[in-house]
């Protein structure tokens, strides 16, 4: 199964793409780990101490999802990953 | 509560006719104290809109001197104030707009030493700061003193805003448990982006203080002005949040 993932904030900026595709993963956690493996330029943002970074906001079908909560991905899930932003 | 005088009734006539707000809402704003840190691209616009709306008192924290690179977005800074303290420019511009506004202007950013004293007397905190150390301190003081906190942020053409009510909604540590290692103090952004989300934060503040409308409690509004997409998403309060899990609704 191929999942289309929307990137937001610094993730989008550093990846240079608004959308990326991740194949052959079945959970949110697997998706983040595989994306970090495939896209070196954003892996330092996606991973913290060997695990998915809890400060990356995950939205599935516009609902927030905590990566540590097990969830199987479905074919048409709309997935967005947001990196933290701030004022200035 | 201090009532409105005739000048104030005249000044705010366009907004006191808003359904659900009225003179009662205006009196609440007049008797409110808002803390804003910092008064840069976001905070300048928040402070200016709230000064225009008739907030009674602002406590404003912003250190440093005006630089050329401030002037694309920090609308309370002016070219003639280059090299001089930003906070003086902020106070001067706000007083020009609303001489009735009481301002406590602090020439420093939020830090461990001043955080508690700066925020203890506020009815509302508005986080417009670029560094997560400062943001977590505002979150801590909001929780400690049970003060609502409006959180706004931006990057490039994107922005986010939410309203935190301690004990009832996710706090900043629920949303971002760890300081992002990759975040840099300087980042790409237009003043029109900070202005957009700054106006939203000011409106959110008016709603929180007056009881008007529905606020962004438990919701994150994210938008991208590159293609004008807006998303309002429910946020999750973390059961084991180190900052707010001890609070009960």
């Amino acid at each position: 199964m191929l999942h289309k993932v929307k990137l937001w904030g610094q993730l989008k900026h550093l990846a240079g793409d608004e959308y990326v595709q991740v194949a052959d993963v079945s959970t949110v956690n697997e998706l983040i780990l595989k994306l970090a493996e495939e896209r070196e330029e954003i892996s330092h943002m996606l991973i913290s101490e060997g695990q998915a970074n809890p400060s990356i906001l995950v939205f599935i079908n516009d609902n927030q999802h905590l990566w540590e909560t097990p969830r199987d991905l479905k074919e048409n899930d709309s997935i967005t990953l947001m990196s933290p932003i701030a004022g200035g | 509560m201090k009532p409105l005088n005739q000048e104030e009734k005249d000044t705010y006539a366009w907004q006191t006719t808003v359904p659900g707000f009225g003179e009662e809402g205006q009196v609440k704003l007049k008797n409110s104290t808002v803390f804003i840190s910092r008064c840069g691209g976001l905070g300048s616009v928040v402070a200016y809109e709230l000064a225009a709306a008739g907030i009674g008192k602002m406590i404003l924290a912003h250190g440093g001197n005006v630089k050329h690179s401030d002037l694309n977005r920090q609308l309370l800074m002016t070219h003639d104030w280059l090299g001089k303290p930003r906070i003086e420019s902020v106070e001067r511009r706000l007083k020009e707009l609303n001489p009735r506004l009481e301002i406590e202007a602090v020439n420093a950013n939020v830090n461990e030493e001043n955080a508690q004293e700066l925020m203890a007397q506020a009815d509302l905190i508005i986080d417009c700061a670029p560094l997560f150390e400062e943001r977590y301190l505002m979150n801590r003081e909001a929780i400690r003193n049970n003060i609502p906190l409006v959180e706004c942020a931006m990057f490039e053409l994107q922005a986010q805003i939410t309203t935190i009510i301690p004990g009832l909604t996710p706090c900043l540590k629920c949303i971002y448990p760890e300081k992002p290692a990759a975040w840099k103090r300087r980042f790409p952004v237009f003043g029109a982006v900070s202005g957009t989300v700054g106006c939203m934060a000011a409106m959110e503040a008016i709603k929180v203080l007056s009881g008007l409308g529905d606020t962004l409690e438990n919701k994150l509004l994210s938008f991208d002005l590159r293609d004008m997409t807006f998303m309002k998403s429910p946020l999750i309060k973390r059961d084991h949040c180190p900052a707010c899990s001890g609070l009960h609704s």
Side-chain angles (χ1 to χ4, degrees), chain A residues 6-10 12-13 18 44-45 48 53-55 57 59 62-66 68 80 82-88, chain B residues 41-42 128-130 132 135 153-156 158-160 175-178 182-183 187 222-224 231 233-236 238:
Chain A
K6 182 173 183 171
L7 302 179
W8 215 88
Q10 267 184 305
K12 175 187 166 190
H13 190 75
E18 185 172 9
H44 66 293
M45 299 184 70
S48 171
N53 182 347
S55 290
L57 293 176
F59 292 94
D62 290 351
N63 289 307
Q64 191 191 358
H65 177 80
L66 301 181
E68 60 267 36
T80 302
M82 291 185 178
S83 54
I85 60 174
Chain B
L42 277 175
C128 303
F132 279 78
R135 302 181 71 193
M154 61 189 180
F155 182 85
E156 211 200 60
Q158 300 175 321
Q160 290 175 335
I175 302 169
Y176 300 131
E178 291 179 8
W183 183 251
F187 53 86
S222 311
F223 57 89
D224 191 339
M231 180 171 90
S233 316
L235 287 171
I236 296 173
R238 288 180 187 261

Side-chain angles (χ1 to χ4, degrees), chain A residues 27-45:
Chain A
T27 66
V28 172
N29 194 30
E30 285 176 18
L31 181 140
I32 292 174
L33 295 176
K34 185 153 190 202
L35 183 58
E37 201 177 289
E38 291 178 350
R39 302 295 294 252
E40 197 182 332
E41 66 276 23
I42 54 173
S43 64
H44 66 293
M45 299 184 70

Side-chain angles (χ1 to χ4, degrees), chain B residues 190-203:
Chain B
F190 282 99
V193 178
S194 49
T196 302
V197 70
C199 283
M200 288 180 175
M203 195 66 240

Side-chain angles (χ1 to χ4, degrees), chain B residues 152-172:
Chain B
C152 42
M154 61 189 180
F155 182 85
E156 211 200 60
L157 272 71
Q158 300 175 321
Q160 290 175 335
I161 177 169
T162 188
T163 292
I164 293 167
I165 309 293
L168 293 178
T169 70
C171 76
L172 187 65

